[in-house]
Amino acid sequence: TISDKFQDISRRIFSGGKLTEKNIEEAIREIRTALLEADVNYGVAKTFIQRVKEKALGEQLVKSVKAREQFIAIVFDELVSLMGPVDTSISFAEKRATVIMMAGLQGSGKTTTCGKMAKFLIKKGHRPLLVAADIQRPGAIEQLQILGETLGVPVFSEPNWTPPKICAKAVAEASKKNCDVVILDTAGRLHIDEGLMKELGEIKKKTKPDNIFLVTDSMTGQDAVNSAQEFHKLLGLDGVVLTKLDGDTRGGAALSIREVAGCPIKFVGMGETLDRLEEFDPQRMASRILG
Amino acid sequence: FQLGRKIDENFLEELEEKLITADVGVETTLYLISSLRESYKNKEIENKEAILDFLKETLKKKLSKKENTIARASEGPTVILVAGVNGVGKTTSIAKLTYYFSQEGKKVILAASDTFRAAAIEQLEKWAQRLDVDIIKQKMGADPAAVAFDAIEAAVARKADILIVDTAGRLHTQKNLMQELGKISRVMKKKIPDAPHEVLLVLDSTTGQNAIVQAKQFDEVISLTGIFLTKLDGTAKGGVVLAIQNQLETPVKFIGLGEQYEDIEVFDGERFVDALFS
Ligand SMILES: Nc1nc2c(ncn2[C@@H]2O[C@H](COP(=O)(O)OP(=O)(O)OP(=O)(O)O)[C@@H](O)[C@H]2O)c(=O)[nH]1
Ligand SMILES: Nc1nc2c(ncn2[C@@H]2O[C@H](COP(=O)(O)OP(=O)(O)OP(=O)(O)O)[C@@H](O)[C@H]2O)c(=O)[nH]1
Ligand SMILES: [Mg+2]
Ligand SMILES: [Mg+2]
């Protein structure tokens, strides 16, 4: 379903019925404004409307009677393809415990997402182990321990060790605890903090994660590309979890991230409780971004 | 010299990109660009080279008109209510404010009114220990308004200068939680009619245009007196506060520049504008 605003734009601009180069230009300008208001990155928006324009003009739209519908379809499909194809898979290891590493900026929802992921995996018949690798935020370990208690999931913690050592030990101990998936909750950090980004690289080296997920706040604005780019460059991301989508943010960061993180958005956070993790749906996201 | 000279459109497009990527937003950007065009036409700007400086000066003037000091109670404790959406930095910012006021020699007391999130009380408690201040708390699941009320009574009894109330993160779209916030504010008035003297919305500088509706909705339930803009030590510019200032007149009072309690600064409009364009 296409959003109302987008329908209004196209209805008003193409009210004459015929598509011309002039009114396509006008429609494209309005769509660009809608995207920027939705927090789509400036550069990503520019590239996007350029593609739409080429397609619209190139597809002999001007001649067709169903031109307006065709134009709407082009924009929507282009948005969906930018975010798709749909891939909500989690990679499971063959002969050892599967490792999932959560990383991201401060406050994006990593710890909560670790809890949600554990619950999600339990439903699928797995036995997860949560690892409290954030030893710097006050109460971070307690926070994860409470989530673990709520779910009946063990939590590995060693407050006096370094995060890479904690993660390595947890992965080594997983089978002893009869756990087949290890979820690493790391501390929030800035992508420009060399020391902390290096630490993340250390954790990756020691635990060889099967899944490295970037947890991103869906209300992030133009800065989304900067952090996604750096995390991807350093770690090589396997997926993105977009959180707090239960709010009313348009979520344009979703477009930007896919472009620079080179990986699909796999899950979305739809609330604070541990059952609120859903698989990503690009069609619904495209509709939401268009406002 | 021709009358009504035309401005360099390419340069304006560069400026537009700069403003939008700083999260200033389309509406505010178009407004700023069109008024630049006007000023240039009316010869208020010398030449092309002076355009950027003119824009900076205009923005600096707008921001400096704002009062960025904290309101103080005429007698009894000054009560500061801290609110905002999830994960923006409320609890950490309260630690910073505690440090800031302690440096002024003020006696600060904290209220752990986030009774919902896992380990929220523990988190604030650890900050209170590090900063050596009292904290009023109850069990997880307790009524946040009851904790706030208790804290006001304690602040009065212990002759505290400042009481800072931490609240749970909540999305402005959650009607019942927004009502709960309004109740926390009203309950405090039962003990101190002028409380809360200061109502700070904590905004994450990485947040995009959604910050505007956050500010509007929070303002509606608890009447904001200021903004605490966090995580400016990152690469985000926080330009959305310009739009908020335009529409709501809410001034930014403090900024957060890191995860430790010393990482707080009083908002400086001049430096903010310079950083926006850097
Ligand atoms: N509404 C909503 N809130 C969420 C969602 N995910 C997380 N939160 C909330 O966001 C806040 C931050 O979540 P955390 O899990 O502590 O974030 P974090 O990334 O671990 O934070 P740091 O460890 O400090 O970097 C908490 O209040 C969570 O309850 C979501 O999908 N929707
Ligand atoms: N780099 C940086 N990190 C910050 C800043 N302010 C807060 N943080 C971090 O952001 C994360 C979230 O901070 P909190 O204080 O827990 O946020 P909150 O708004 O209280 O979160 P909820 O209560 O869950 O809604 C923590 O990891 C903080 O250390 C800042 O100015 N700079
Ligand atoms: Mg965390
Ligand atoms: Mg908090």
Side-chain angles (χ1 to χ4, degrees), chain A residues 157-189:
Chain A
S157 75
E158 283 293 345
N160 296 316
W161 293 4
T162 64
K165 185 166 176 200
I166 294 168
C167 293
K169 184 69 169 169
V171 173
E173 299 278 293
S175 46
K176 290 204 195 107
K177 295 194 184 331
N178 192 26
C179 292
D180 68 324
V181 186
V182 180
I183 305 171
L184 310 175
D185 182 21
T186 66
R189 68 204 64 212

PDB file of all heavy atoms in Angstrom, chain A residues 157-189:
ATOM      1  N   SER A 157      29.210 -13.336  32.701  1.00  0.00           N
ATOM      2  CA  SER A 157      29.800 -12.022  32.978  1.00  0.00           C
ATOM      3  C   SER A 157      31.053 -12.165  33.826  1.00  0.00           C
ATOM      4  O   SER A 157      31.154 -13.067  34.669  1.00  0.00           O
ATOM      5  CB  SER A 157      28.784 -11.115  33.679  1.00  0.00           C
ATOM      6  OG  SER A 157      28.645 -11.496  35.030  1.00  0.00           O
ATOM      7  N   GLU A 158      32.024 -11.315  33.581  1.00  0.00           N
ATOM      8  CA  GLU A 158      33.274 -11.239  34.339  1.00  0.00           C
ATOM      9  C   GLU A 158      33.658  -9.770  34.403  1.00  0.00           C
ATOM     10  O   GLU A 158      34.408  -9.291  33.555  1.00  0.00           O
ATOM     11  CB  GLU A 158      34.389 -12.023  33.631  1.00  0.00           C
ATOM     12  CG  GLU A 158      34.326 -13.519  33.784  1.00  0.00           C
ATOM     13  CD  GLU A 158      34.584 -13.975  35.218  1.00  0.00           C
ATOM     14  OE1 GLU A 158      35.086 -13.162  36.022  1.00  0.00           O
ATOM     15  OE2 GLU A 158      34.261 -15.132  35.527  1.00  0.00           O
ATOM     16  N   PRO A 159      33.135  -9.048  35.410  1.00  0.00           N
ATOM     17  CA  PRO A 159      33.284  -7.586  35.442  1.00  0.00           C
ATOM     18  C   PRO A 159      34.731  -7.093  35.443  1.00  0.00           C
ATOM     19  O   PRO A 159      34.978  -5.934  35.103  1.00  0.00           O
ATOM     20  CB  PRO A 159      32.592  -7.177  36.736  1.00  0.00           C
ATOM     21  CG  PRO A 159      31.992  -8.375  37.321  1.00  0.00           C
ATOM     22  CD  PRO A 159      32.336  -9.571  36.522  1.00  0.00           C
ATOM     23  N   ASN A 160      35.691  -7.966  35.810  1.00  0.00           N
ATOM     24  CA  ASN A 160      37.074  -7.474  35.881  1.00  0.00           C
ATOM     25  C   ASN A 160      37.927  -7.850  34.681  1.00  0.00           C
ATOM     26  O   ASN A 160      39.126  -7.571  34.666  1.00  0.00           O
ATOM     27  CB  ASN A 160      37.732  -7.972  37.170  1.00  0.00           C
ATOM     28  CG  ASN A 160      37.036  -7.404  38.395  1.00  0.00           C
ATOM     29  OD1 ASN A 160      36.720  -6.220  38.426  1.00  0.00           O
ATOM     30  ND2 ASN A 160      36.743  -8.253  39.366  1.00  0.00           N
ATOM     31  N   TRP A 161      37.320  -8.487  33.699  1.00  0.00           N
ATOM     32  CA  TRP A 161      38.079  -8.834  32.500  1.00  0.00           C
ATOM     33  C   TRP A 161      37.842  -7.812  31.412  1.00  0.00           C
ATOM     34  O   TRP A 161      36.903  -7.041  31.465  1.00  0.00           O
ATOM     35  CB  TRP A 161      37.649 -10.213  31.982  1.00  0.00           C
ATOM     36  CG  TRP A 161      37.995 -11.362  32.866  1.00  0.00           C
ATOM     37  CD1 TRP A 161      38.568 -11.316  34.106  1.00  0.00           C
ATOM     38  CD2 TRP A 161      37.763 -12.736  32.572  1.00  0.00           C
ATOM     39  NE1 TRP A 161      38.712 -12.582  34.599  1.00  0.00           N
ATOM     40  CE2 TRP A 161      38.229 -13.479  33.677  1.00  0.00           C
ATOM     41  CE3 TRP A 161      37.229 -13.419  31.481  1.00  0.00           C
ATOM     42  CZ2 TRP A 161      38.170 -14.875  33.725  1.00  0.00           C
ATOM     43  CZ3 TRP A 161      37.155 -14.803  31.520  1.00  0.00           C
ATOM     44  CH2 TRP A 161      37.635 -15.516  32.638  1.00  0.00           C
ATOM     45  N   THR A 162      38.672  -7.875  30.364  1.00  0.00           N
ATOM     46  CA  THR A 162      38.443  -6.986  29.217  1.00  0.00           C
ATOM     47  C   THR A 162      37.369  -7.644  28.335  1.00  0.00           C
ATOM     48  O   THR A 162      37.227  -8.869  28.327  1.00  0.00           O
ATOM     49  CB  THR A 162      39.712  -6.824  28.365  1.00  0.00           C
ATOM     50  OG1 THR A 162      40.059  -8.094  27.801  1.00  0.00           O
ATOM     51  CG2 THR A 162      40.874  -6.300  29.203  1.00  0.00           C
ATOM     52  N   PRO A 163      36.624  -6.812  27.597  1.00  0.00           N
ATOM     53  CA  PRO A 163      35.563  -7.363  26.739  1.00  0.00           C
ATOM     54  C   PRO A 163      36.021  -8.478  25.784  1.00  0.00           C
ATOM     55  O   PRO A 163      35.330  -9.500  25.688  1.00  0.00           O
ATOM     56  CB  PRO A 163      35.053  -6.127  26.001  1.00  0.00           C
ATOM     57  CG  PRO A 163      35.257  -5.021  26.984  1.00  0.00           C
ATOM     58  CD  PRO A 163      36.560  -5.347  27.665  1.00  0.00           C
ATOM     59  N   PRO A 164      37.178  -8.350  25.098  1.00  0.00           N
ATOM     60  CA  PRO A 164      37.573  -9.444  24.206  1.00  0.00           C
ATOM     61  C   PRO A 164      37.771 -10.760  24.972  1.00  0.00           C
ATOM     62  O   PRO A 164      37.380 -11.836  24.501  1.00  0.00           O
ATOM     63  CB  PRO A 164      38.888  -8.952  23.595  1.00  0.00           C
ATOM     64  CG  PRO A 164      38.810  -7.472  23.679  1.00  0.00           C
ATOM     65  CD  PRO A 164      38.088  -7.194  24.966  1.00  0.00           C
ATOM     66  N   LYS A 165      38.347 -10.653  26.172  1.00  0.00           N
ATOM     67  CA  LYS A 165      38.596 -11.868  26.964  1.00  0.00           C
ATOM     68  C   LYS A 165      37.274 -12.478  27.442  1.00  0.00           C
ATOM     69  O   LYS A 165      37.099 -13.708  27.434  1.00  0.00           O
ATOM     70  CB  LYS A 165      39.476 -11.494  28.166  1.00  0.00           C
ATOM     71  CG  LYS A 165      39.891 -12.682  28.998  1.00  0.00           C
ATOM     72  CD  LYS A 165      41.024 -12.331  29.959  1.00  0.00           C
ATOM     73  CE  LYS A 165      41.318 -13.569  30.846  1.00  0.00           C
ATOM     74  NZ  LYS A 165      42.037 -13.221  32.075  1.00  0.00           N
ATOM     75  N   ILE A 166      36.343 -11.605  27.848  1.00  0.00           N
ATOM     76  CA  ILE A 166      35.028 -12.072  28.290  1.00  0.00           C
ATOM     77  C   ILE A 166      34.353 -12.850  27.169  1.00  0.00           C
ATOM     78  O   ILE A 166      33.834 -13.966  27.362  1.00  0.00           O
ATOM     79  CB  ILE A 166      34.130 -10.875  28.696  1.00  0.00           C
ATOM     80  CG1 ILE A 166      34.698 -10.182  29.939  1.00  0.00           C
ATOM     81  CG2 ILE A 166      32.710 -11.330  28.935  1.00  0.00           C
ATOM     82  CD1 ILE A 166      34.054  -8.837  30.228  1.00  0.00           C
ATOM     83  N   CYS A 167      34.345 -12.263  25.979  1.00  0.00           N
ATOM     84  CA  CYS A 167      33.658 -12.883  24.840  1.00  0.00           C
ATOM     85  C   CYS A 167      34.319 -14.204  24.453  1.00  0.00           C
ATOM     86  O   CYS A 167      33.626 -15.197  24.194  1.00  0.00           O
ATOM     87  CB  CYS A 167      33.661 -11.926  23.654  1.00  0.00           C
ATOM     88  SG  CYS A 167      32.655 -10.445  23.941  1.00  0.00           S
ATOM     89  N   ALA A 168      35.644 -14.233  24.425  1.00  0.00           N
ATOM     90  CA  ALA A 168      36.356 -15.461  24.044  1.00  0.00           C
ATOM     91  C   ALA A 168      36.032 -16.598  25.016  1.00  0.00           C
ATOM     92  O   ALA A 168      35.728 -17.720  24.610  1.00  0.00           O
ATOM     93  CB  ALA A 168      37.858 -15.193  24.017  1.00  0.00           C
ATOM     94  N   LYS A 169      36.075 -16.272  26.299  1.00  0.00           N
ATOM     95  CA  LYS A 169      35.800 -17.284  27.330  1.00  0.00           C
ATOM     96  C   LYS A 169      34.357 -17.785  27.233  1.00  0.00           C
ATOM     97  O   LYS A 169      34.085 -18.985  27.338  1.00  0.00           O
ATOM     98  CB  LYS A 169      36.045 -16.676  28.725  1.00  0.00           C
ATOM     99  CG  LYS A 169      35.894 -17.668  29.856  1.00  0.00           C
ATOM    100  CD  LYS A 169      37.018 -18.694  29.851  1.00  0.00           C
ATOM    101  CE  LYS A 169      36.985 -19.502  31.153  1.00  0.00           C
ATOM    102  NZ  LYS A 169      37.850 -20.664  31.135  1.00  0.00           N
ATOM    103  N   ALA A 170      33.441 -16.859  27.026  1.00  0.00           N
ATOM    104  CA  ALA A 170      32.027 -17.232  26.934  1.00  0.00           C
ATOM    105  C   ALA A 170      31.787 -18.215  25.793  1.00  0.00           C
ATOM    106  O   ALA A 170      31.077 -19.213  25.936  1.00  0.00           O
ATOM    107  CB  ALA A 170      31.164 -15.986  26.749  1.00  0.00           C
ATOM    108  N   VAL A 171      32.393 -17.919  24.642  1.00  0.00           N
ATOM    109  CA  VAL A 171      32.228 -18.791  23.476  1.00  0.00           C
ATOM    110  C   VAL A 171      32.835 -20.172  23.771  1.00  0.00           C
ATOM    111  O   VAL A 171      32.265 -21.214  23.439  1.00  0.00           O
ATOM    112  CB  VAL A 171      32.872 -18.143  22.223  1.00  0.00           C
ATOM    113  CG1 VAL A 171      32.857 -19.117  21.054  1.00  0.00           C
ATOM    114  CG2 VAL A 171      32.137 -16.870  21.845  1.00  0.00           C
ATOM    115  N   ALA A 172      33.983 -20.159  24.446  1.00  0.00           N
ATOM    116  CA  ALA A 172      34.644 -21.435  24.766  1.00  0.00           C
ATOM    117  C   ALA A 172      33.807 -22.262  25.744  1.00  0.00           C
ATOM    118  O   ALA A 172      33.786 -23.488  25.676  1.00  0.00           O
ATOM    119  CB  ALA A 172      36.021 -21.156  25.358  1.00  0.00           C
ATOM    120  N   GLU A 173      33.091 -21.560  26.634  1.00  0.00           N
ATOM    121  CA  GLU A 173      32.316 -22.253  27.662  1.00  0.00           C
ATOM    122  C   GLU A 173      30.903 -22.646  27.229  1.00  0.00           C
ATOM    123  O   GLU A 173      30.200 -23.340  27.936  1.00  0.00           O
ATOM    124  CB  GLU A 173      32.157 -21.333  28.886  1.00  0.00           C
ATOM    125  CG  GLU A 173      33.472 -20.931  29.543  1.00  0.00           C
ATOM    126  CD  GLU A 173      33.992 -21.998  30.482  1.00  0.00           C
ATOM    127  OE1 GLU A 173      33.332 -22.217  31.512  1.00  0.00           O
ATOM    128  OE2 GLU A 173      35.013 -22.621  30.164  1.00  0.00           O
ATOM    129  N   ALA A 174      30.494 -22.138  26.071  1.00  0.00           N
ATOM    130  CA  ALA A 174      29.097 -22.309  25.661  1.00  0.00           C
ATOM    131  C   ALA A 174      28.614 -23.762  25.709  1.00  0.00           C
ATOM    132  O   ALA A 174      27.557 -24.066  26.271  1.00  0.00           O
ATOM    133  CB  ALA A 174      28.886 -21.739  24.258  1.00  0.00           C
ATOM    134  N   SER A 175      29.416 -24.648  25.143  1.00  0.00           N
ATOM    135  CA  SER A 175      28.963 -26.044  25.075  1.00  0.00           C
ATOM    136  C   SER A 175      28.871 -26.655  26.477  1.00  0.00           C
ATOM    137  O   SER A 175      27.984 -27.467  26.759  1.00  0.00           O
ATOM    138  CB  SER A 175      29.906 -26.853  24.193  1.00  0.00           C
ATOM    139  OG  SER A 175      31.245 -26.563  24.518  1.00  0.00           O
ATOM    140  N   LYS A 176      29.789 -26.211  27.383  1.00  0.00           N
ATOM    141  CA  LYS A 176      29.720 -26.718  28.767  1.00  0.00           C
ATOM    142  C   LYS A 176      28.386 -26.346  29.402  1.00  0.00           C
ATOM    143  O   LYS A 176      27.862 -27.062  30.246  1.00  0.00           O
ATOM    144  CB  LYS A 176      30.841 -26.110  29.603  1.00  0.00           C
ATOM    145  CG  LYS A 176      32.218 -26.614  29.251  1.00  0.00           C
ATOM    146  CD  LYS A 176      33.207 -26.482  30.415  1.00  0.00           C
ATOM    147  CE  LYS A 176      34.635 -26.648  29.915  1.00  0.00           C
ATOM    148  NZ  LYS A 176      35.362 -25.370  29.900  1.00  0.00           N
ATOM    149  N   LYS A 177      27.875 -25.171  28.991  1.00  0.00           N
ATOM    150  CA  LYS A 177      26.605 -24.702  29.547  1.00  0.00           C
ATOM    151  C   LYS A 177      25.435 -25.256  28.726  1.00  0.00           C
ATOM    152  O   LYS A 177      24.290 -24.849  28.923  1.00  0.00           O
ATOM    153  CB  LYS A 177      26.545 -23.177  29.518  1.00  0.00           C
ATOM    154  CG  LYS A 177      27.569 -22.474  30.411  1.00  0.00           C
ATOM    155  CD  LYS A 177      27.176 -21.008  30.552  1.00  0.00           C
ATOM    156  CE  LYS A 177      28.103 -20.128  31.320  1.00  0.00           C
ATOM    157  NZ  LYS A 177      28.928 -20.627  32.365  1.00  0.00           N
ATOM    158  N   ASN A 178      25.738 -26.129  27.775  1.00  0.00           N
ATOM    159  CA  ASN A 178      24.707 -26.693  26.905  1.00  0.00           C
ATOM    160  C   ASN A 178      23.983 -25.617  26.096  1.00  0.00           C
ATOM    161  O   ASN A 178      22.779 -25.701  25.867  1.00  0.00           O
ATOM    162  CB  ASN A 178      23.696 -27.500  27.743  1.00  0.00           C
ATOM    163  CG  ASN A 178      22.782 -28.333  26.864  1.00  0.00           C
ATOM    164  OD1 ASN A 178      23.149 -28.707  25.749  1.00  0.00           O
ATOM    165  ND2 ASN A 178      21.582 -28.583  27.350  1.00  0.00           N
ATOM    166  N   CYS A 179      24.744 -24.595  25.678  1.00  0.00           N
ATOM    167  CA  CYS A 179      24.151 -23.536  24.862  1.00  0.00           C
ATOM    168  C   CYS A 179      24.665 -23.634  23.430  1.00  0.00           C
ATOM    169  O   CYS A 179      25.847 -23.907  23.217  1.00  0.00           O
ATOM    170  CB  CYS A 179      24.524 -22.165  25.441  1.00  0.00           C
ATOM    171  SG  CYS A 179      23.752 -21.855  27.040  1.00  0.00           S
ATOM    172  N   ASP A 180      23.779 -23.414  22.467  1.00  0.00           N
ATOM    173  CA  ASP A 180      24.208 -23.552  21.072  1.00  0.00           C
ATOM    174  C   ASP A 180      24.318 -22.208  20.339  1.00  0.00           C
ATOM    175  O   ASP A 180      24.763 -22.159  19.199  1.00  0.00           O
ATOM    176  CB  ASP A 180      23.259 -24.493  20.302  1.00  0.00           C
ATOM    177  CG  ASP A 180      21.889 -23.878  20.127  1.00  0.00           C
ATOM    178  OD1 ASP A 180      21.423 -23.177  21.049  1.00  0.00           O
ATOM    179  OD2 ASP A 180      21.274 -24.096  19.054  1.00  0.00           O
ATOM    180  N   VAL A 181      23.888 -21.125  20.989  1.00  0.00           N
ATOM    181  CA  VAL A 181      24.051 -19.790  20.384  1.00  0.00           C
ATOM    182  C   VAL A 181      24.560 -18.827  21.454  1.00  0.00           C
ATOM    183  O   VAL A 181      24.034 -18.807  22.568  1.00  0.00           O
ATOM    184  CB  VAL A 181      22.717 -19.213  19.834  1.00  0.00           C
ATOM    185  CG1 VAL A 181      22.987 -17.902  19.098  1.00  0.00           C
ATOM    186  CG2 VAL A 181      22.037 -20.211  18.909  1.00  0.00           C
ATOM    187  N   VAL A 182      25.595 -18.051  21.125  1.00  0.00           N
ATOM    188  CA  VAL A 182      26.153 -17.076  22.058  1.00  0.00           C
ATOM    189  C   VAL A 182      25.855 -15.676  21.527  1.00  0.00           C
ATOM    190  O   VAL A 182      26.173 -15.366  20.374  1.00  0.00           O
ATOM    191  CB  VAL A 182      27.680 -17.263  22.191  1.00  0.00           C
ATOM    192  CG1 VAL A 182      28.259 -16.237  23.159  1.00  0.00           C
ATOM    193  CG2 VAL A 182      27.998 -18.676  22.656  1.00  0.00           C
ATOM    194  N   ILE A 183      25.213 -14.853  22.368  1.00  0.00           N
ATOM    195  CA  ILE A 183      24.869 -13.487  21.943  1.00  0.00           C
ATOM    196  C   ILE A 183      25.740 -12.496  22.725  1.00  0.00           C
ATOM    197  O   ILE A 183      25.646 -12.419  23.954  1.00  0.00           O
ATOM    198  CB  ILE A 183      23.376 -13.189  22.205  1.00  0.00           C
ATOM    199  CG1 ILE A 183      22.496 -14.247  21.528  1.00  0.00           C
ATOM    200  CG2 ILE A 183      23.013 -11.794  21.700  1.00  0.00           C
ATOM    201  CD1 ILE A 183      21.026 -14.169  21.907  1.00  0.00           C
ATOM    202  N   LEU A 184      26.587 -11.766  21.993  1.00  0.00           N
ATOM    203  CA  LEU A 184      27.524 -10.830  22.637  1.00  0.00           C
ATOM    204  C   LEU A 184      26.932  -9.424  22.709  1.00  0.00           C
ATOM    205  O   LEU A 184      26.710  -8.791  21.675  1.00  0.00           O
ATOM    206  CB  LEU A 184      28.837 -10.786  21.851  1.00  0.00           C
ATOM    207  CG  LEU A 184      29.506 -12.129  21.511  1.00  0.00           C
ATOM    208  CD1 LEU A 184      30.729 -11.898  20.613  1.00  0.00           C
ATOM    209  CD2 LEU A 184      29.912 -12.869  22.783  1.00  0.00           C
ATOM    210  N   ASP A 185      26.686  -8.934  23.934  1.00  0.00           N
ATOM    211  CA  ASP A 185      26.202  -7.565  24.115  1.00  0.00           C
ATOM    212  C   ASP A 185      27.411  -6.669  24.349  1.00  0.00           C
ATOM    213  O   ASP A 185      28.078  -6.772  25.384  1.00  0.00           O
ATOM    214  CB  ASP A 185      25.259  -7.488  25.329  1.00  0.00           C
ATOM    215  CG  ASP A 185      24.677  -6.086  25.530  1.00  0.00           C
ATOM    216  OD1 ASP A 185      24.664  -5.304  24.560  1.00  0.00           O
ATOM    217  OD2 ASP A 185      24.257  -5.781  26.663  1.00  0.00           O
ATOM    218  N   THR A 186      27.712  -5.801  23.388  1.00  0.00           N
ATOM    219  CA  THR A 186      28.891  -4.942  23.545  1.00  0.00           C
ATOM    220  C   THR A 186      28.486  -3.543  23.989  1.00  0.00           C
ATOM    221  O   THR A 186      27.325  -3.143  23.872  1.00  0.00           O
ATOM    222  CB  THR A 186      29.690  -4.848  22.223  1.00  0.00           C
ATOM    223  OG1 THR A 186      28.883  -4.175  21.244  1.00  0.00           O
ATOM    224  CG2 THR A 186      30.067  -6.235  21.718  1.00  0.00           C
ATOM    225  N   ALA A 187      29.444  -2.776  24.476  1.00  0.00           N
ATOM    226  CA  ALA A 187      29.172  -1.409  24.917  1.00  0.00           C
ATOM    227  C   ALA A 187      28.920  -0.517  23.710  1.00  0.00           C
ATOM    228  O   ALA A 187      29.501  -0.712  22.641  1.00  0.00           O
ATOM    229  CB  ALA A 187      30.357  -0.875  25.709  1.00  0.00           C
ATOM    230  N   GLY A 188      28.051   0.472  23.883  1.00  0.00           N
ATOM    231  CA  GLY A 188      27.836   1.445  22.816  1.00  0.00           C
ATOM    232  C   GLY A 188      29.130   2.216  22.611  1.00  0.00           C
ATOM    233  O   GLY A 188      29.901   2.413  23.557  1.00  0.00           O
ATOM    234  N   ARG A 189      29.396   2.617  21.395  1.00  0.00           N
ATOM    235  CA  ARG A 189      30.627   3.372  21.121  1.00  0.00           C
ATOM    236  C   ARG A 189      30.455   4.219  19.883  1.00  0.00           C
ATOM    237  O   ARG A 189      29.625   3.917  19.030  1.00  0.00           O
ATOM    238  CB  ARG A 189      31.803   2.417  20.941  1.00  0.00           C
ATOM    239  CG  ARG A 189      31.757   1.553  19.690  1.00  0.00           C
ATOM    240  CD  ARG A 189      32.588   0.276  19.868  1.00  0.00           C
ATOM    241  NE  ARG A 189      32.046  -0.588  20.908  1.00  0.00           N
ATOM    242  CZ  ARG A 189      32.799  -1.369  21.688  1.00  0.00           C
ATOM    243  NH1 ARG A 189      34.105  -1.409  21.527  1.00  0.00           N
ATOM    244  NH2 ARG A 189      32.223  -2.122  22.601  1.00  0.00           N
TER     245      ARG A 189
END
